[in-house]
């Protein structure tokens, strides 16, 4: 069949080539030409222009110009597309010998209420007609923001508190004031409509571990609340969907080189085109990157890359079959809290530790080798960092199966092998006397019996030097996920109905082995040995204070069988209703070790306490568990379009989140303690846009029942607490455009409060946190970004971010002060080249994103917290071809 079609096309063109010269003698040829401009009136080189219904297509030249010569008299529809802009078209009629001129002005996707969105909806709709809070960014807008990481880009979304202080991976997102242990617990990160992994909040497996931004990304769509619970499981906070580029008839390529002042070298490449014109298209791209890290570890902090590709076959009815594949092999250093001090409320670094560039992660102890219970040794490499190897293969199929029925099915099979190595702070800092009394339980009169020496040269520590625990946490996870989404869309005007079935099974098998070092408190820490000169007993072994103080062996599995129905009702030309329901029938199961916590003495170190309290899982029977979930999520909304520039909507939604992996481990012997978290939301949205101003405002109220708190504490146990949360908030996203200047201003105002949060601590004391502010959630945060076209080709921006104060823990006793961050950049475009320089945290602000939930007693005025990364600059050059 394909061969026949190809022969037919060939015959057609041969016939056409024979006829055209004959026609040329009988009539005078015509042409259509013009220029394409962007939203600022600047010419747009590289835009794609096609004549609808034909194979004729060109790209604009360096001055945004194009021409279609040798056209016959008649009517033509000219379509213009450009990455990052809304497509536009014109109908043009020409006579014999006429040279018609048609200019086009493109509208940026992020500003257009007519832009069509696909995330959080079964029937793609324009922003104007959508009853959801959604933020979109095209490839051009993403490049202009020059994000260092996926999480860095998500900071542009109002309503999402995103912590980016961990580096490229392992960051945290809090949606609409929902507190959590971190990760992406209430938001699903998707790639082309399917999750990058089903659960984005598995232990040490944050969703951004598996996703990297590169030139293969066409667009980001982020839904907050709303319909997210209908189109994704365990995602009442929202969905972030990254949409990949696909091919087109004309071959296109983009290459980019980026270097930075922290040893960064990065190359990006994307290629796309047609293997068979109008039928078979391809897109392939990826990146490779190596750098030393903004915080200095003494080794290459980040190294690796990915390859992504897809192949699309288009059917004549507009349907398609698309195959896709991704390979990610990347390792990244994960940054954690560092020692700081407060000077009259102002956060400062301590002597010997740079708060902007220092880290407890150091090449001085990058390799761990410790004896194990029962014999042998355990080895881990800190320089391997967070190292996922991801293989994902999938397909999408869309086909019209009847006059009013369209079938769509998408699947992805993902396999992940993760080695995770990071340095966590779990005790101190202490003065040397404080360590002797608080940790080794010596009487104050005997603190002088302890000697402190460096492991590398046996030199004595300065008596005033502080010491602390720096744990090497090693986790190995083997993960896999098969997800399939099948749907039937029925076009039953005025009702558009979608019925779907979602199936997913996933597995997370993991092994932990943690040991802790004793180090001096500097930003290039060194290992410290501690000996009791009076008793002859050593308290460290080669700088290791506790060998394998925590060990785990566990597995968690999930099987989801979910059905959903979504209806869009066009009641009038201006009034649209939406209603959706999803039924989750899910099963979570697994096993956990019956670890003997700190119970074993290895007995291999003579007169040394480092091996006295080893946690072992060898030989223990497992505890097997199973947790069933049967829940109904639902939503209803109405959207009223006042005119082509303004609309408003009202929505109510009810969704839920199943317990996370840590909760299952903690409560495996009694799962009756666990409950699903329920999220109820009311939303009132307003949208307005004209050529000068666009506003998207969303007033929301959230009521959350049974929110789990599961941070792992310094002794290896979990908080294992539950509470209710209420939050009233306002999200506003505005864009102002005038002449050569643009201004983006996003802000969120909210007030998340605890309710039903009383109980008893493990030590028997009681707590009452009712009315306290939810931890790690600022009441106000904003981003202000002015941009200006300095000349026709030179543009610049400044980005100012502000985060109000917040609290480390539920008791609201430790305050993380408000902070700001300023970035700026310049870009220069000449022909098909783009040069850019971007700077982040220009004033080296010490902005704290979190405290340290693992921190134990300290006898100093030094505290542990995680600040944002220090000032950094990147220079890039990109070429389109």
């Amino acid at each position: 069949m394909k061969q026949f079609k190809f022969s037919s096309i060939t015959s057609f063109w041969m016939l056409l080539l024979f006829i055209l010269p004959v026609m040329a003698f009988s009539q005078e040829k015509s042409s259509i030409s013009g220029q394409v401009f962007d939203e600022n009136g600047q010419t747009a080189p590289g835009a794609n222009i096609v004549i609808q219904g034909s194979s004729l297509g060109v790209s604009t030249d360096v001055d945004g110009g194009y021409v279609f010569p040798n056209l016959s008299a008649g009517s033509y529809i000219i379509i213009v597309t450009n990455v990052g802009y809304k497509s536009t078209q014109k109908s043009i009629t020409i006579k014999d010998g006429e040279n018609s001129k048609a200019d086009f002005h493109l509208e940026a996707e992020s500003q257009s209420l007519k832009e069509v969105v696909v995330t959080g909806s079964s029937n793609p709709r324009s922003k104007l007609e959508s009853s959801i809070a959604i933020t979109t960014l095209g490839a051009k807008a993403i490049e202009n923001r020059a994000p260092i990481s996926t999480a860095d880009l998500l900071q542009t979304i109002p309503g999402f508190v995103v912590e980016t202080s961990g580096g490229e991976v392992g960051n945290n997102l809090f949606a609409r004031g929902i507190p959590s242990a971190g990760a992406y617990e209430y938001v699903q990160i998707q790639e082309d409509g399917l999750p990058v992994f089903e659960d984005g909040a598995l232990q040490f497996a944050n969703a951004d571990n598996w996703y990297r931004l590169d030139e293969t990304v066409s667009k980001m769509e982020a839904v907050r609340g709303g319909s997210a619970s209908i189109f994704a499981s365990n995602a009442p906070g929202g969905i972030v969907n990254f949409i990949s580029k696909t091919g087109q008839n004309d071959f296109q390529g983009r290459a980019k080189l980026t270097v930075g002042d922290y040893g960064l070298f990065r190359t990006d490449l994307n290629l796309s085109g047609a293997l068979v014109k109008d039928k078979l298209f391809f897109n392939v791209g990826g990146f490779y990157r190596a750098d030393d890290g903004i915080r200095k570890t003494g080794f290459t902090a980040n190294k690796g890359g990915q390859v992504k590709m897809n192949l699309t076959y288009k059917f004549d009815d507009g349907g398609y079959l698309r195959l896709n594949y991704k390979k990610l092999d990347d390792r990244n250093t994960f940054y954690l809290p560092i020692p700081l001090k407060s000077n009259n409320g102002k956060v400062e670094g301590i002597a010997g530790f740079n708060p902007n560039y220092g880290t407890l992660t150091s090449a001085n102890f990058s390799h761990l080798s410790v004896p194990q219970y029962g014999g042998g040794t355990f080895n881990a490499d800190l320089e391997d960092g967070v190292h996922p190897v991801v293989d994902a293969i999938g397909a999408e199929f869309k086909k019209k199966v009847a006059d009013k029925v369209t079938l769509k099915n998408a699947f992805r099979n993902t396999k992940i092998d993760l080695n995770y190595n990071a340095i966590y702070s779990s005790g101190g800092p202490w003065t040397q006397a404080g360590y002797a009394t608080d940790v080794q339980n010596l009487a104050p009169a005997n603190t002088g019996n302890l000697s402190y020496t460096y492991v590398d040269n046996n030199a004595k520590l300065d008596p005033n030097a502080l010491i602390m625990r720096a744990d090497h946490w090693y986790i190995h996870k083997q993960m896999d996920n098969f997800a399939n989404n099948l749907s039937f869309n029925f076009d039953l005007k005025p009702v558009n109905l979608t019925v779907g079935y979602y199936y997913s099974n996933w597995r997370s098998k993991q092994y932990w082995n943690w040991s802790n070092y004793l180090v001096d408190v500097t930003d290039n820490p060194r290992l410290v040995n501690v000996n009791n000169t009076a008793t002859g007993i050593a308290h460290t072994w080669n700088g290791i204070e506790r060998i394998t103080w925590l060990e785990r062996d566990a597995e968690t599995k999930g099987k989801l069988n979910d059905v959903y129905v979504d209806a869009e009702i066009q009641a009038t030309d201006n009034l649209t209703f939406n209603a959706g329901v999803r039924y989750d029938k899910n099963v979570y199961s697994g096993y956990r070790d019956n670890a003997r916590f700190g119970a074993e003495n290895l007995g291999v170190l003579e007169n040394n306490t480092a091996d006295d309290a080893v946690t072992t899982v060898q030989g223990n029977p497992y505890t097997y568990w199973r947790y069933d979930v049967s829940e109904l999520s639902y939503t209803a909304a109405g959207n009223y379009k006042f005119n082509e520039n303004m609309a408003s909507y009202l929505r109510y939604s009810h969704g839920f989140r199943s317990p996370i992996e840590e909760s299952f481990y903690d409560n495996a012997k009694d799962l009756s303690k666990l409950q699903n978290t329920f999220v109820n939301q009311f939303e009132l949205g307003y949208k307005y846009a004209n050529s000068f101003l666009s506003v998207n405002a969303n007033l929301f109220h959230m009521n959350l029942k049974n929110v789990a708190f599961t941070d792992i504490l310094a002794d290896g146990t979990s908080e294992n607490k539950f509470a209710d949360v209420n939050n009233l908030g306002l999200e506003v996203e505005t864009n102002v455009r005038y002449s050569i200047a643009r201004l983006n201003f996003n802000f969120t105002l909210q007030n998340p409060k605890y309710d039903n949060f009383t109980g008893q601590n493990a030590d028997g004391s009681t707590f009452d946190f009712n009315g306290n502010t939810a931890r790690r959630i600022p009441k106000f945060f904003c981003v202000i970004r002015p941009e200006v076209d300095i000349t026709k080709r030179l543009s610049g921006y400044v980005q100012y971010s502000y985060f109000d104060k917040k609290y480390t823990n539920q008791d609201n006793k430790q305050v993380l002060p408000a902070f700001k961050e300023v970035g700026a950049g310049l870009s220069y475009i000449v022909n098909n080249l783009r040069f850019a320089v971007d700077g982040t945290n220009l004033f080296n602000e010490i902005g704290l994103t979190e405290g340290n939930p693992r921190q134990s007693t300290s006898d100093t005025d030094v505290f542990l917290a995680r600040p944002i990364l220090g000032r950094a600059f990147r220079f890039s050059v990109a070429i389109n071809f």
Side-chain angles (χ1 to χ4, degrees):
M1 181 64 69
K2 291 181 182 178
Q3 189 175 12
F4 173 76
K5 288 186 176 180
F6 180 78
S7 299
S8 299
I9 293 171
T10 305
S11 300
F12 172 77
W13 281 110
M14 290 179 65
L15 180 61
L16 188 61
L17 289 172
F18 175 78
I19 294 173
L20 280 176
V22 177
M23 294 175 61
F25 286 103
S26 61
Q27 59 186 18
E28 191 176 353
K29 291 301 179 181
S30 307
S31 68
I32 300 174
S33 63
Q35 283 183 292
V36 178
F37 302 90
D38 64 17
E39 73 278 11
N40 304 312
Q42 305 298 316
T43 55
N48 299 309
I49 308 178
V50 298
I51 296 180
Q52 188 180 67
S54 78
S55 62
L56 298 178
V58 296
S59 295
T60 54
D61 60 23
V62 64
D63 294 315
Y66 75 94
V67 61
F68 288 104
N70 300 320
L71 297 177
S72 300
S75 295
Y76 298 89
I77 296 177
I78 310 297
I79 302 174
V80 181
T81 60
N82 199 15
V83 175
Y85 294 91
K86 177 181 174 292
S87 64
T88 185
Q89 64 183 44
K90 286 183 181 180
S91 179
I92 300 171
T93 301
I94 54 176
K95 301 175 182 178
D96 285 343
E98 181 181 2
N99 297 315
S100 179
K101 181 172 173 48
D103 292 340
F104 293 85
H105 293 265
L106 298 178
E107 187 176 4
E109 287 180 339
S110 58
Q111 313 302 324
S112 174
L113 290 180
K114 296 179 182 179
E115 176 192 358
V116 174
V117 294
V118 299
T119 306
S121 173
S122 58
N123 182 32
R125 283 188 170 273
S126 69
K127 283 186 175 181
L128 188 70
E129 297 173 321
S130 298
S131 52
I132 52 176
I134 187 166
T135 297
T136 61
L137 290 174
K140 181 175 182 290
I142 292 173
E143 179 174 60
N144 288 341
R145 280 160 176 76
I148 288 180
S149 64
T150 302
D152 190 29
L153 179 66
L154 300 184
Q155 282 192 323
T156 63
I157 304 169
F160 284 178
V161 176
V162 185
E163 297 177 346
T164 62
S165 52
E168 285 200 31
V169 300
N171 293 293
N172 306 311
L173 187 156
F174 305 98
R176 289 187 163 176
I178 308 177
S180 68
Y184 295 76
E185 191 169 330
Y186 293 88
V187 172
Q188 188 174 90
I189 304 299
Q190 295 183 348
E191 189 170 14
D192 298 317
L194 287 174
V196 294
F197 197 86
E198 185 62 49
D199 195 318
L202 299 176
Q203 295 160 310
F204 306 99
N206 298 17
D208 64 348
N209 287 359
W210 330 126
Y211 192 81
R212 304 290 186 277
L213 290 168
D214 62 16
E215 291 295 326
T216 65
V217 178
S218 171
K219 186 180 181 182
M220 180 201 75
E221 296 182 349
V223 174
R224 306 182 295 280
S227 59
S229 290
I230 308 303
F231 294 97
S233 294
N234 295 315
I239 299 171
V240 180
N241 185 21
F242 292 95
I243 301 171
S244 301
K245 294 177 181 176
T246 57
Q248 64 290 311
N249 274 331
D250 293 333
F251 175 79
Q252 295 181 17
R254 181 174 173 84
K256 187 175 182 179
L257 172 67
T258 308
V259 296
D261 64 349
Y262 50 99
L264 171 66
F265 175 87
R266 173 169 173 143
T267 58
D268 287 79
L269 178 67
N270 192 74
L271 304 172
S272 61
L275 298 175
V276 178
K277 211 161 195 178
D278 298 324
K279 282 296 181 184
L280 187 60
F281 307 91
F282 73 91
N283 193 91
V284 58
F287 77 93
Y288 172 81
R289 177 264 295 105
D291 66 70
D292 298 330
I294 295 176
R295 294 192 177 277
K296 305 306 178 184
T297 62
F299 55 80
T300 301
N302 305 296
K303 185 177 182 180
Q306 77 175 2
V307 175
K308 287 174 60 180
M309 59 186 71
N310 59 60
L311 191 65
T312 304
Y313 181 83
K314 290 189 176 180
F315 303 117
D316 294 336
D317 62 359
Y320 61 88
L321 171 64
R322 178 173 297 131
L323 307 178
N324 51 70
Y325 173 72
K326 179 175 77 171
K327 175 78 172 187
L328 171 68
D329 188 345
D330 194 24
R331 65 174 180 83
N332 307 91
T333 294
F334 181 51
Y335 302 118
L336 285 135
I338 62 173
L340 301 158
K341 67 179 181 180
S342 178
N343 184 2
N344 294 321
K346 181 181 179 181
V347 178
E348 297 178 347
I350 66 172
F353 207 115
N354 190 309
N356 298 111
Y357 302 103
T359 173
L360 292 171
T361 302
S362 173
N364 292 331
F365 40 85
S366 62
H367 187 73
L368 175 71
S369 182
V370 291
Q372 295 292 279
Y373 184 77
T377 59
F378 172 76
N379 298 285
D381 185 1
L382 183 60
E383 295 188 31
D384 201 35
V386 180
H387 185 177
V389 178
V390 180
D391 285 280
I393 186 168
E396 298 176 47
F397 176 78
K398 183 179 179 182
K399 189 84 168 83
K400 200 168 186 177
V401 295
D403 183 42
K404 296 182 179 295
V405 183
T406 301
L407 163 68
K408 185 176 182 180
N409 191 75
F411 81 86
R412 180 181 294 130
N413 189 63
T414 304
K415 292 187 178 296
I416 300 173
D417 189 276
L418 171 68
N419 278 318
Y420 185 104
N421 297 268
I423 293 296
Y424 284 73
S425 48
S426 66
W430 295 284
T431 62
Q432 294 168 32
Y435 174 83
T437 57
D438 297 344
V439 179
Q440 300 302 335
N441 300 315
L442 297 183
N446 297 329
T447 58
N449 293 342
L450 294 187
S451 67
Y452 302 86
T453 57
Y454 287 110
V455 172
D456 52 10
N457 61 6
N458 208 36
K460 288 187 176 182
L461 265 72
D462 185 296
N464 296 316
L466 301 178
I467 56 176
M468 67 179 295
R469 285 174 174 159
D471 286 16
H472 186 144
W473 289 15
Y474 170 84
I475 299 97
H476 181 219
K477 295 179 80 81
Q478 294 174 300
M479 305 167 62
D480 54 72
N481 181 201
F482 175 83
N484 190 91
N485 190 26
L486 170 67
S487 66
F488 291 89
N489 181 264
F490 301 88
D491 188 5
L492 309 172
K493 291 186 173 28
V495 178
N496 188 282
L497 181 69
T498 297
V499 179
Y501 167 62
Y502 180 77
Y503 172 83
S504 177
N505 68 65
W506 59 269
R507 177 182 67 106
S508 169
K509 180 177 172 57
Q510 58 182 348
Y511 171 73
W512 301 7
N513 195 311
W514 300 357
S515 296
N516 86 260
Y517 298 112
L518 199 67
V519 301
D520 64 336
V521 182
T522 65
D523 60 9
N524 189 26
R526 298 161 62 190
L527 296 175
V528 173
N529 272 333
V530 180
N531 293 275
N532 191 316
T533 56
T535 63
I537 295 175
H539 295 300
T540 56
W541 177 70
N542 295 326
I544 300 171
E545 187 197 31
R546 298 182 296 174
I547 292 173
T548 310
W549 70 270
L550 181 67
E551 189 176 20
R552 279 193 186 182
D553 180 15
E555 181 180 80
T556 305
K557 295 185 291 185
K559 182 179 289 186
L560 287 67
N561 283 279
D562 308 332
V563 294
Y564 60 92
V565 179
D566 184 73
E568 295 275 358
I569 306 167
Q570 191 73 48
T572 69
D573 289 342
N574 294 331
L575 181 60
T576 305
F577 292 105
N578 170 248
V581 62
R582 183 186 185 101
Y583 178 67
D584 284 70
K585 184 69 175 176
N586 307 332
V587 176
Y588 301 95
S589 61
Y591 63 81
R592 63 151 290 178
D593 56 76
N594 289 330
R596 292 170 288 184
F597 191 84
E600 302 295 339
N601 187 331
L602 289 180
V604 298
L605 302 179
E606 186 176 355
N607 294 326
N608 196 309
T609 62
D611 68 340
D612 286 358
V614 175
T615 296
T616 60
V617 298
Q618 290 89 344
N620 289 327
Y622 291 104
T623 296
Y624 290 87
W625 56 269
R626 173 183 168 124
Y627 187 84
D628 293 333
V629 173
S630 298
E631 294 291 353
L632 192 68
S633 300
Y634 47 88
T635 186
N639 184 87
Y640 187 78
K641 183 172 65 174
F642 297 97
N643 51 50
E644 293 302 316
N645 298 99
M646 182 169 60
S648 183
Y649 74 87
L650 182 67
R651 179 180 288 274
Y652 173 77
S653 60
H654 169 82
F656 76 98
R657 160 79 219 199
S658 301
I660 64 172
E661 193 174 32
E662 181 65 29
S663 295
F664 290 133
Y665 185 92
D666 294 334
N667 299 284
K669 294 182 178 180
D670 184 11
L671 295 182
S672 65
K673 296 179 181 179
L674 300 182
Q675 295 183 43
N676 300 323
T677 301
F678 296 102
V679 181
N680 301 296
Q681 301 182 67
F682 281 99
E683 300 177 56
L684 175 62
Y686 173 80
K687 296 163 283 187
Y688 175 80
N690 61 26
S691 59
F692 172 72
L693 171 70
S694 69
V695 178
N696 284 275
N698 302 279
L699 180 67
F700 65 89
H701 179 267
M702 298 186 69
N703 174 260
L704 300 100
K705 297 292 185 184
N706 202 50
V707 178
F709 297 90
T710 55
D711 272 330
I712 300 173
L713 304 176
D715 61 1
T717 63
S718 169
E719 286 181 283
N720 207 28
K721 292 184 172 72
F722 304 90
D724 298 342
V725 177
N726 291 292
N727 189 20
L728 178 65
L730 174 66
E731 306 160 344
V732 177
E733 183 176 6
T734 63
N735 291 278
V736 179
R737 314 166 66 79
Y738 181 74
S739 184
I740 62 171
R742 299 167 298 283
L743 175 67
N744 171 259
F745 177 38
N746 299 335
F747 73 86
T748 302
L749 182 65
Q750 59 186 349
N751 190 25
K753 296 289 186 182
Y754 291 124
D755 192 15
N756 294 326
F757 203 0
T758 62
Q760 190 174 60
N761 296 307
D763 60 5
S765 61
T766 60
F767 64 86
D768 183 353
F769 300 145
N770 284 342
N772 285 7
T773 300
R775 69 178 185 182
R776 292 167 70 170
I777 309 293
K779 293 185 177 181
F780 177 78
F781 57 97
C782 69
V783 177
I784 304 174
R785 182 186 173 92
E787 301 177 6
V788 63
D789 297 321
I790 303 169
T791 68
K792 184 177 180 180
R793 304 196 181 278
L794 179 65
S795 300
Y797 73 88
V798 175
Q799 181 164 303
Y800 173 90
S801 302
Y802 174 83
F803 298 88
D804 201 2
K805 72 175 184 180
K806 54 185 179 179
Y807 301 98
T808 298
N809 294 312
Q810 288 82 255
D811 58 17
N812 286 187
K813 291 182 179 179
Q814 184 178 359
V815 178
L816 301 176
F819 70 91
K820 63 184 180 300
E821 181 182 3
V822 178
L826 291 169
S827 64
Y828 182 77
I829 297 175
V830 54
N831 297 333
N832 56 345
L833 288 170
R834 180 184 186 270
F835 300 90
V837 60
D838 299 278
T840 55
N841 196 9
L842 296 180
F843 299 105
N844 264 334
E845 180 82 7
I846 308 174
L848 305 185
T849 64
E850 65 170 86
N852 182 23
R854 294 161 294 277
Q855 188 168 7
S856 59
T857 304
S858 173
D859 68 325
T860 72
D861 61 352
V862 176
F863 66 93
L864 297 172
R866 181 160 63 174
I868 59 176
L869 304 179
R871 179 174 52 238
F873 291 98
R874 287 164 293 148
F875 174 80
S876 65
V877 56
I879 182 171
N880 294 312
F881 54 90

